[in-house]
Amino acid sequence: GDWFNTGDQFYQDDEGYFWYQGRRNDMFKTGGMWVSPVEVEGVLLDHSLVSEAAMTGAPDESGLEKPMAFVVLKNGEESSDLKKELTALVRDRIAHYKAPHWIRFVNELPRTATGKIRRYQLKASI
């Protein structure tokens, strides 16, 4: 209802189930379409070499916001082929505009004391 707003975004499917899409302030628009970082992160986490993933919007050379992924690998071996593979994985599973334009491999993701990803720190590192 209108009396309690958590800032969480959900949608309800045809069968009545609710699906979590992330925090309203974490979502961003690319190409006029909303992107839920949680959805893309879930796909990236399905890859056998990915330990953790986080996504945020990042400006391209024209100042338009595009998806950028930060990925922690299980084995630590990064390559341009793996970036292409991860991008293709996302494009195969969900809408192509949600696929990361850039992937940055990192050793760890910044987290709060309760374990939530500090997306503002990721954005500041771009």
Side-chain angles (χ1 to χ4, degrees):
D2 294 331
W3 61 274
F4 188 69
N5 186 354
T6 64
D8 294 315
Q9 294 290 110
F10 292 85
Y11 77 88
Q12 188 173 14
D13 67 16
D14 295 336
E15 297 176 10
Y17 291 98
F18 288 92
W19 295 89
Y20 180 67
Q21 295 297 292
R23 303 271 311 155
R24 181 177 304 130
N25 57 354
D26 290 339
M27 294 179 72
F28 60 93
K29 270 191 175 180
T30 185
M33 304 294 282
W34 284 106
V35 176
S36 166
V38 172
E39 180 183 20
V40 181
E41 292 162 2
V43 174
L44 292 170
L45 288 170
D46 283 343
H47 193 283
S48 63
L49 297 179
V50 175
S51 174
E52 295 182 287
M55 184 153 215
T56 188
D60 67 4
E61 60 279 350
S62 301
L64 300 173
E65 201 160 38
K66 305 289 183 188
M68 180 171 187
F70 294 83
V71 175
V72 178
L73 298 174
K74 291 178 182 175
N75 65 6
E77 293 183 34
E78 54 188 77
S79 70
S80 59
D81 287 340
L82 182 55
K83 288 181 180 181
K84 291 176 187 173
E85 191 176 323
L86 292 172
T87 301
L89 176 68
V90 174
R91 284 191 174 140
D92 287 346
R93 298 240 186 116
I94 57 179
H96 73 281
Y97 66 88
K98 297 178 183 182
H101 276 45
W102 307 280
I103 296 176
R104 182 181 294 171
F105 295 114
V106 294
N107 293 327
E108 63 184 4
L109 297 175
R111 295 190 179 273
T112 65
T114 59
K116 293 181 181 179
I117 296 171
R118 292 182 173 171
R119 293 184 198 279
Y120 70 91
Q121 284 185 322
L122 294 175
K123 282 188 86 89
S125 73
I126 299 172

